[in-house]
Amino acid sequence: GIAHAQTNVKIYGIVDTGFIKQTDADWKMGENTNNRIGFTGTEDLGSGLAATFQLERRFNLNDGTSATDLDWEGAANVGLASEKWGKVRMGRMNEISNEYIQSLDPFFQNGVGSMIWSTQRAIRIGNTIRYDSPSMKGVNVSVRYSLSTKTDTGTDNDGYGVGVKYDVMPVLLQASWARQADSDNSYIWNLGASYKFGPALVSVAYEKTDNKGWLLGKALTNAGKQDTAFVALKWNVGPGTVLGLVEYSKLKNNVTVGNDDNAVMKYALGYDYKLSKTVSIYGNISYTDYDSYQLTKALRGAYPDYAKSSMAYAVGMTYRF
Amino acid sequence: GIAHAQTNVKIYGIVDTGFIKQTDADWKMGENTNNRIGFTGTEDLGSGLAATFQLERRFNLNDGTSATDLDWEGAANVGLASEKWGKVRMGRMNEISNEYIQSLDPFFQNGVGSMIWSTQRAIRIGNTIRYDSPSMKGVNVSVRYSLSTKTDTGTDNDGYGVGVKYDVMPVLLQASWARQADSDNSYIWNLGASYKFGPALVSVAYEKTDNKGWLLGKALTNAGKQDTAFVALKWNVGPGTVLGLVEYSKLKNNVTVGNDDNAVMKYALGYDYKLSKTVSIYGNISYTDYDSYQLTKALRGAYPDYAKSSMAYAVGMTYRF
Amino acid sequence: GIAHAQTNVKIYGIVDTGFIKQTDADWKMGENTNNRIGFTGTEDLGSGLAATFQLERRFNLNDGTSATDLDWEGAANVGLASEKWGKVRMGRMNEISNEYIQSLDPFFQNGVGSMIWSTQRAIRIGNTIRYDSPSMKGVNVSVRYSLSTKTDTGTDNDGYGVGVKYDVMPVLLQASWARQADSDNSYIWNLGASYKFGPALVSVAYEKTDNKGWLLGKALTNAGKQDTAFVALKWNVGPGTVLGLVEYSKLKNNVTVGNDDNAVMKYALGYDYKLSKTVSIYGNISYTDYDSYQLTKALRGAYPDYAKSSMAYAVGMTYRF
C-alpha cells in the first residue's frame, strides 16, 4: 500500500543481468555491474557538519544468491562529514587504491571487459577508519587505517592506505598506495591520469603489486609480483557510450606461474546505450592473450581445457535506482 | 525519524504466522502464506515502455530464520515492460507451470490446506529469461528459457516452459508445460479451468509429472510418475472467504513407493476473515488419506510414527503491506 | 532517484561502531549498541484496533558481517494492538525478563559498560505469543508462551514468562520471571526499581538464575546458579548523559567454576554526548574484578592469558534513524 511519508533513509541500488559467453564455457547468466541494494542516511548536525551512514548489500541477480557471506558486502559504515574539514567514516567501505584505479577502468573492474585484477586486491575493507579531505584547489587526499583481526598466522599486520588526486577539468592525476590488513605486509600502488577531449575521456594507469601470499588473514595461491598498465577510452556518442581498454599485465616470481615473466594482453570494447538516465542496455566483447597455460589458470581460474587465449561476450541490461 | 521524500522504490511484503497441529506432531508455529519482504521499481522509458525490477526475500516469521539459503528466494529480476508488446524479465522469477496451477488452489499451495505438491516442483527458477504477452482478446501466452548451471552430473539440460491462458470473465481456461533445468529431462504439465458464479469461484485442475530423479542439478529421492487432480472452491461470504479443496493424487513407478499405484485423497476447508483490505485472520483444516505408509513418508516426510491418514489444523493471521 | 511517495512501511535502525581496548587483547572495532535495520508497519482496523508487524535485522557494522545466522534476529512478528485491551504479538520478539532488567542497565546490556550477563539469557525468543496489557493506573502486565521446538534432547520444555511493572513518575517498580524453551526447566527471575531525581535516574536490580545447562535446545557449558545485583545511574548533564554502574555477581554450583561461591565486581562509567537528537558520540570505561581465573574464563570467554581483573575502554559513535 502507498500511504505515509517515509523516514530519512534513502534506498538505492543497481540490478543488472545478461548473457555471457566465454571461450570453453557454456552460455551463462551474470552481471556487468555488481548487483546491490543499499540504505543511506544523512543527519544535519548544524555548522556545516552532518552525520552519515551507509549499508549496502551485494548479490547475484541471475539466481538470487548472495554475492558473499557478508551481510553488507558493499558498505557498512557511520561517519561525520564537514564541508570544510572533509569526512571521516568507520566500519566497512571502499579501499582507496582499488577505488582509485577502478575509477579509470571504463568497465569499472566488472564484467567481461574489466581490467585484469591484481592478485592482491581488496575492493572493500572492514575494521577501518577512513578520512577524505575536501577538494583543496582540486587536490583531494584520502587516508585509511585498518585494524588487523588475526593474532595467529604470523603474517598479521594492520593495513593502511593513502591516495592523492588532482582533479581540475580536463585533467585528472592520481596516485595511491595500500597495504591490506593481515597480508604479511604485501602492498599495491598505482598511478593514473585522464584527460577529457570534448566527449571523449582518455585514461592511462599503472599498478604494481607485491603479493606475499596473504590477504585479510587468508592464504592466497598466487604469491608473486605483478605489473599492470592500461590505456582506456570512454567516448559519449549520442545516447550511448563507447568503452575501450587495452591492457598489459605481467606476473613474475609467482608461485603458480614461475619465476620468469608471464605476460597477458587484454583488449576490450563495449557499448552502453542509455534507455533513460538510469536504465541502459550493453554489449561488451573482450579478447585476452596469455603467455602460458599456467597464467590462464592463475588469472582466469580452473576450467576444463586451458586455452592460451579467450574471447568473451556479454549482452544485458542495467537498472540503477 | 520521518522526514524526506523517498526514492521510486516500493517496499511490499507479507507477514503471517499462527499455530499448526498435525496428527502425530506437536503444536508448532508456522505460516499459511510465505513470509516475504520485497523491493520493486518501475522506470518510465517513454512510448509505453518501462523498465522494471523486483527483489523479494523469503523468511520464517515464527522464528526469524531464512526460508532458504538464497538472498532473494522470491524474485530477483530486471526487465522491460511494454503495454503493447508484453514484458521480458531476466534473472530469478516464478516458474510458469507452478504459477498456473498454484493460482487455482484456493490455499495458494501454502499451509495445511495446500494442494499436494508435485514431486518435480520448482516454484521459482533462476538463470531464466521469461516473456509474458499482453492480453490478446483474453489470451495470454508466457514462455521461459532457463540455462543449465551444471556441467558434470550427466543429467544436465536447459529448462523451458510455456503457458497459455484464456481469461474472459466468468471463464478461465489454461494449460502449461515445463521442463526444469538440470532435471534429466523430467517434465510437468497441467490443465486448469475456473468459472465464476457470482460470489463463488469453482476451479478444476489436472497435473501430470514425470520425475526422473533430478531437479535443478540435485538428486531427488522420489523419482517416478505422479497424476494429480483437484476441484476447488473460493466463496466470498460477507467480509470472509470460504475455501475448499478436494484432491486426488497418484504416484506410480516411484522409487520410494513402488511400481503400483499409490493414491492419496486430500480434503481441505478454510475460512479467511478480512479485518481490513490487507489484514486477515484464518482457520484451516485438512484431512489426508494415504494408500500406504510409504506414500505418507514420501509426501509428508519423515516423522516418528507414519500414519496412513492425517488431520491438520491451523489458525493464524496474515498482514499484507 | 527521489520521486514517489512510499508505502506505509517505516524503515528504522541504529548504526554504531568505535574502537575498543580490553586488557590482554588488541584494539578492535566494535559496537556499543547492537547494529540493526528494521521495517515496521501499522494498519488501522478501526474501533481503536490496529494490526502491527516488525522485522529487524542485526549485524556488525565494523566488518559488515551478520550478527547471527538468523535473518531477523531482532524481531519478526505480527500482531494486534488495541488501546483498550493491550497488544498481542506472534513470532520472534523480546523475552520479557531480559527486557525488564536490560531497561535498568544504563548501558542497555551492550558494550564494555554492560551489566554482567546471566548464564541463562535469551534476549529475544521465537515461536512465541506475547501479550502486553495497557497501562492500568500505572500497572503493566506482560506474559508470553513459547513453544518447544525440540523433541529429542530429554530436556525439552515449553517456555513462558511474566512481568509486572508499576510505572508512575518518579517511581518504577518491576518484577519478572522466565523459563526459556528447551532449557531443562531452567529459570530466571529479577526485581528492579528506579527513582527519578530531577535530571538523575537511579536504578537498582536483583536477578537470580538457575541454569540447568540447556537453553533453546542447546547445551551450555556453564550450568549452575547465579545471583546478580547492581546499582546504576543515568544523569543528564547538558547535551550529554553520564552513565554509571556498580554490579556484584556470584556463581555457585557451577560446572565450570566449581561449587563454592565465585564472585565478580564490575564498575562502569560512561559519557554519551548528543550531537543531535539521533546522533551521539560516547566514551565508556569499565573495571571488572574476578574471584578466580576460572570465573574470568566462564564470563569473559577464552583468551590467551586469563587475568583476574580487566579494564575495558570504548570510544565511538551512534546514529539512530
Side-chain angles (χ1 to χ4, degrees), chain B residues 197-253:
Chain B
F197 301 93
L201 181 75
V202 176
S203 304
V204 294
Y206 173 76
E207 181 184 55
K208 190 163 186 72
T209 302
D210 183 10
N211 176 353
K212 295 183 178 162
W214 290 86
L215 179 61
L216 305 177
K218 286 180 190 148
L220 302 176
T221 55
N222 51 8
K225 292 180 189 297
Q226 186 176 9
D227 291 85
T228 296
F230 66 75
V231 182
L233 173 72
K234 236 173 138 173
W235 187 14
N236 295 321
V237 185
T241 308
V242 173
L243 313 172
L245 178 83
V246 177
E247 181 172 7
Y248 172 85
S249 190
K250 186 181 72 179
L251 275 69
K252 63 179 175 183
N253 303 329

Side-chain angles (χ1 to χ4, degrees), chain B residues 129-141:
Chain B
I129 181 165
R130 173 173 166 171
Y131 167 75
D132 295 275
S133 79
S135 181
M136 300 165 291
K137 299 188 177 173
V139 175
N140 291 271
V141 177

